[in-house]
């Protein structure tokens, strides 16, 4: 009996540790904002974390999900999955390249453009999205041409409502590995705004209209409350 009791205690202890804690949103759902933070190269663990963030925001009926991004990039397959999840989200997703010094490199460029709101902090950078091999090596001429064409088609689609200058810069990040500062990206309309932090971002986008797959939505962030959603123990373990 003592052995069974010890096993039972151990089971519940592990259950509490391993199950990710979901943010508890109060009765007023209109200004609930869930935030997730993605740092480092894209991995399946980060993809799962982003998927959980979107799912949590939808279940909580949050007003907005903020994806804070700092990545040098990753595989095209993982990037495509993230882009698809963002674009199909029922809750608006603001991709925020932050904090200062952060980058949205390579695949991070397309993830930023996939956001219903695309923002950057000061002293951040975006671009250098030319495709390379899994170990960073140059691709063969034919494969490189194919990858560039499909990626350029993707950014044209994602940036189509941002004007010709934004589309040209987006394509240049792929064709010529062009990178841009937050100020340069804003000047051509590649991003929507520059914000110092999440609170500044939420104040600046309050009242904006975003286009979801389900239609237009006006962001109501008059009295926002931020609920950070951290990576779970398992997600952190898999990321390592």
């Amino acid at each position: 009996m003592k052995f069974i009791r010890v096993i039972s205690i151990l089971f519940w202890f592990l259950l509490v540790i391993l199950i990710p804690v979901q943010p508890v949103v109060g009765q007023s759902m209109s200004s609930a904002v869930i935030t997730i933070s993605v740092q480092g190269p894209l991995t399946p663990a980060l993809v799962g974390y982003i998927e959980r963030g979107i799912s949590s925001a939808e279940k909580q009926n949050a007003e907005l999900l903020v994806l804070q991004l700092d990545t040098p990039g990753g595989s095209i397959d993982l990037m495509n999955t993230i882009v698809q999840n963002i674009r199909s989200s029922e809750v608006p997703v603001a991709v925020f390249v932050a904090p200062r010094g952060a980058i949205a490199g390579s695949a991070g460029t397309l993830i930023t453009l996939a956001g219903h709101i695309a923002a950057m902090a000061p002293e951040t950078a975006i671009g250098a999205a030319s495709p390379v091999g899994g170990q960073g090596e140059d691709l063969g001429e034919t494969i490189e041409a194919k990858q560039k064409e499909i990626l350029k088609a993707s950014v044209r689609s994602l940036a189509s409502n941002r004007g010709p200058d934004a589309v040209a810069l987006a394509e240049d990040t792929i064709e010529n590995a062009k990178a841009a500062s937050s100020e340069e990206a804003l000047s051509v309309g590649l991003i929507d705004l520059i914000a110092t932090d999440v609170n500044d971002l939420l104040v600046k986008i309050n009242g904006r209209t975003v286009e979801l797959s389900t239609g237009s939505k006006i962001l109501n962030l008059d009295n926002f409350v931020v609920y950070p959603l951290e990576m779970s123990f398992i997600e952190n373990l898999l990321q390592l």
Side-chain angles (χ1 to χ4, degrees), residues 16-52:
V16 169
I17 290 179
L18 297 181
I19 292 181
V21 177
Q22 299 294 331
V24 178
V25 178
Q27 291 182 348
S28 177
M29 307 294 288
S30 62
S31 58
V33 177
I34 294 177
T35 63
I36 58 178
S37 180
V38 172
Q39 293 180 299
L42 301 182
T43 65
L46 284 178
V47 174
Y49 173 50
I50 294 170
E51 289 176 345
R52 183 165 66 88

Side-chain angles (χ1 to χ4, degrees), residues 35-43 45-47 49-50 66-72 82 96-99 102-103 111 229 231 239:
T35 63
I36 58 178
S37 180
V38 172
Q39 293 180 299
L42 301 182
T43 65
L46 284 178
V47 174
Y49 173 50
I50 294 170
V66 176
L67 192 171
Q68 184 166 305
L69 183 67
D70 179 12
T71 181
I82 294 170
F96 182 33
V97 183
I103 62 171
I111 293 172
L229 180 64
M231 290 186 75
Q239 180 70 354

Side-chain angles (χ1 to χ4, degrees), residues 210-226:
V210 295
E211 296 297 328
L212 303 174
S213 59
T214 53
S216 300
K217 177 179 174 62
I218 299 175
L219 295 176
N220 176 16
L221 300 168
D222 287 332
N223 298 297
F224 64 81
V225 180
V226 176

Side-chain angles (χ1 to χ4, degrees), residues 12 15 24 27 31 56 66 75 84-85 129 167 179 196 205 217:
W12 287 109
L15 195 64
V24 178
Q27 291 182 348
S31 58
S56 178
V66 176
S75 80
Q84 290 166 10
N85 287 333
V167 171
T196 55
I205 64 175
K217 177 179 174 62

